[in-house]
Amino acid sequence: MSPVPQVTTIGRPRLLAGLDRVSRLDAAAHRRVHRVPARFSVPDLVALAEAVDLRGRGGAAFPFARKLTAVRKAAARSDRPCVVLVNATEGEPASSKDKALLAHVPHLVLNGAMLAVRALRARELVIGITDEGPAARSLRLAVAESGLDDRVRVVQLPERFITGEGGALVRGVNGETPIPPGRKVRAAESGVDRLPTLLSNAETFAQLAVLAGLGAEGYRSVGTAAEPGTVLLTVTVPDGGHVVVETPTGVPLADVLRRCGTDAGQGLMVGGYHGAWLTPAQAATAAVSRESMTAAGAALGAGIIVPLPRDTCPVGEVARVAAYMGAESAGQCGPCRLGLPAIAQSFGALAAGNTGDEALAAIRNGSATVRGRGACSHPDGTTRFLLSALKAFQDDVDAHLTKGGCGRPTRRFLPVPGERTEEESGAQLAIDWSRCAGHKLCRHLLPELIELDRFGYPVITGAAIPSRLLRGAAQAAEMCPALALSIRARS
């Protein structure tokens, strides 16, 4: 269960308006703070969204007007009703903006979504969530407060990184396993119950409600000319907590960090675990906009900002995330099911500092191999994140290659759901010395745990196998030519 994140604003709030007086806007408070938008036809909503170039806020930044138009055409062509689907799953571990909206201003999300429902004459509104905490309770209460129980369906799905992928969300709502479908299926053509479906992120619908209330000119009164309005950012602060910030576009990123009581640290992650790392120098010149982030070498994505503290090993931190992302594979294609765990293992070896240039080459070669070959974007996004880390933390990578490490511990600052401590795996490696012939394959497969003595035989310490390496340890045991290596319960 995720706690409700702290919220703050730069400039006059829009999405978070009214929270200086109460912690949650119920239906009555919402009507006092926000202008209740009138009904709009689809052409009117399309024109309004196009006037400010409203983009999706879930990461891909797809034009909302194009989605709306595609759904209307698909419904007319097939003579079927359509569905509106709100993606509030927020699978990115470092993101909390949608939870903040649902916890504090749920009626804003509902109002925006219902604008689309009424314009499209949709059959129903479906909201996908994963966390049954305060945000979900606030959402369900808002549905009841609005008298929408018969029009809105809230669906809880498993809390996984890949659950938030559009196709995975649709599959989950349809009662199937919530993983990407493995082939391109447009929700606008076939989504919930195979009906044309308008699928967008929770913040996108909240922005639509604000836009409908202010009008295009009012909406454009803040932000940049190319990207008007405000955005929500989730900033991880030094204690590991999250602060959700509403800020106009164009504000220097450094100002946002100062507002949250932090700085760029030794490097700044932008966009989450499918995003990229910026150096402190790059972060110092970047502004909050898609254009500026792209110029700096990153992407604003879902608005995730994580400064990495100076007292933790960046290579070790990224290796932890690599293992998590490898385990998050849907298992539908080789590049993801096999490639990402192999790359993660190489990153772990680089963090351990005992394989020299071999691990670095394996990371780069493996990333080039899987890129563009996955059934979904998971391999591409993950390898982009990992390769950007090699570039942003080049000095630390060099230290791991030449000195075996950077001298700092891995403090587990980056959030990795379900991660256990290394002693919690409850297993260890064992060698049957009557069988071992010194083939050295185990060292090649598991360099993080196995060293070789001067005669080429494995050295096993008896320490617990870290949970992130259990899969690799099992593979090493299975592939031992002499069947000398095994895994047993730790005594």
Side-chain angles (χ1 to χ4, degrees):
M1 182 184 299
S2 301
V4 176
Q6 177 186 348
V7 297
T8 189
T9 61
I10 294 178
R12 186 175 181 179
R14 290 179 170 181
L15 298 170
L16 304 181
L19 297 181
D20 56 335
R21 297 186 291 276
V22 294
S23 62
R24 177 186 180 273
L25 299 187
D26 61 15
H30 174 82
R31 287 191 293 270
R32 288 194 296 269
V33 172
H34 294 279
R35 183 181 304 169
V36 179
R39 286 176 178 262
F40 286 80
S41 66
V42 172
D44 288 341
L45 271 187
V46 167
L48 195 61
E50 287 180 334
V52 300
D53 191 21
L54 180 63
R55 301 292 185 104
R57 304 303 173 92
F62 194 84
F64 183 80
R66 286 173 57 185
K67 281 189 179 183
L68 194 58
T69 300
V71 172
R72 181 190 62 171
K73 289 182 177 179
R77 188 167 53 247
S78 62
D79 193 27
R80 294 179 297 166
C82 59
V83 174
V84 175
L85 176 57
V86 179
N87 188 349
T89 57
E90 206 158 34
E92 281 274 5
S95 182
S96 292
K97 67 184 181 68
D98 293 334
K99 293 182 182 67
L101 286 172
L102 296 183
H104 297 293
V105 289
H107 289 277
L108 203 59
V109 178
L110 282 177
N111 281 9
M114 288 305 297
L115 279 172
V117 168
R118 293 179 179 119
L120 290 165
R121 297 181 180 177
R123 188 188 72 180
E124 67 174 337
L125 168 61
V126 182
I127 305 175
I129 61 172
T130 55
D131 182 62
E132 272 293 347
R137 292 194 293 271
S138 172
L139 170 63
R140 295 182 191 279
L141 178 59
V143 171
E145 290 171 343
S146 302
L148 295 172
D149 303 80
D150 60 336
R151 300 289 305 274
V152 179
R153 179 159 56 107
V154 179
V155 179
Q156 185 182 6
L157 300 166
E159 191 162 4
R160 290 192 63 191
F161 186 91
I162 58 174
T163 299
E165 193 272 340
L169 175 61
V170 168
R171 284 172 58 95
V173 170
N174 285 338
E176 303 172 60
T177 303
I179 59 176
R183 59 187 177 85
K184 185 65 176 177
V185 180
R186 297 180 64 211
E189 298 284 344
S190 179
V192 175
D193 295 335
R194 309 296 183 265
L195 297 174
T197 299
L198 177 65
L199 166 59
S200 207
N201 166 263
E203 185 194 342
T204 311
F205 286 109
Q207 293 282 0
L208 180 65
V210 169
L211 171 60
L214 294 175
E217 288 305 310
Y219 191 88
R220 298 182 68 93
S221 64
V222 301
T224 68
E227 301 174 36
T230 66
V231 296
L232 290 181
L233 305 175
T234 307
V235 180
T236 301
V237 292
D239 66 0
H242 295 167
V243 176
V244 173
V245 187
E246 182 180 9
T247 178
T249 58
V251 168
L253 183 57
D255 289 357
V256 174
L257 296 175
R258 277 193 292 271
R259 184 72 180 86
C260 297
T262 188
D263 58 24
Q266 60 178 313
L268 194 74
M269 181 177 72
V270 179
Y273 293 162
H274 277 180
W277 288 93
L278 299 180
T279 65
Q282 290 171 319
T285 62
V288 179
S289 72
R290 297 189 304 273
E291 181 181 21
S292 178
M293 290 298 180
T294 299
L300 192 58
I304 298 165
I305 309 293
V306 183
L308 192 65
R310 296 173 179 83
D311 63 349
T312 190
C313 170
V315 180
E317 293 283 357
V318 174
R320 295 172 50 244
V321 176
Y324 163 69
M325 297 298 276
E328 280 295 294
S329 166
Q332 299 183 106
C333 60
C336 197
R337 180 173 60 86
L338 301 175
L340 290 187
I343 294 169
Q345 187 175 21
S346 297
F347 223 108
L350 176 64
N354 55 16
T355 58
D357 293 327
E358 180 183 340
L360 186 59
I363 294 168
R364 288 176 171 152
N365 293 338
S367 297
T369 300
V370 305
R371 192 178 305 121
R373 298 179 58 214
C376 69
S377 62
H378 189 54
D380 288 6
T382 301
T383 54
R384 177 172 56 246
F385 168 82
L386 298 178
L387 293 176
S388 75
L390 295 180
K391 186 175 181 181
F393 302 113
Q394 181 65 60
D395 291 345
D396 296 275
V397 171
D398 291 343
H400 279 259
L401 292 174
T402 60
K403 302 175 184 177
C406 62
R408 286 168 290 178
T410 301
R411 299 194 179 280
R412 298 174 180 261
F413 180 79
L414 296 180
V416 174
E419 184 180 55
R420 297 181 294 178
T421 63
E422 295 195 344
E423 288 71 30
E424 287 179 327
S425 67
Q428 65 184 112
L429 290 171
I431 290 282
D432 182 347
W433 292 110
S434 67
R435 292 176 176 268
C436 183
H439 291 97
K440 304 181 181 64
L441 180 60
C442 59
R443 169 68 170 82
H444 175 75
L445 293 172
L446 205 62
E448 300 93 332
L449 290 182
I450 298 176
E451 295 283 352
L452 298 179
D453 63 18
R454 61 193 181 101
F455 301 108
Y457 285 88
V459 176
I460 305 290
T461 65
I465 302 171
S467 56
R468 64 183 176 86
L469 299 179
L470 277 174
R471 182 185 296 182
Q475 182 185 32
E478 291 171 0
M479 296 181 66
C480 176
L483 302 179
L485 186 66
S486 63
I487 300 174
R488 68 184 183 191
R490 192 179 182 211
S491 55

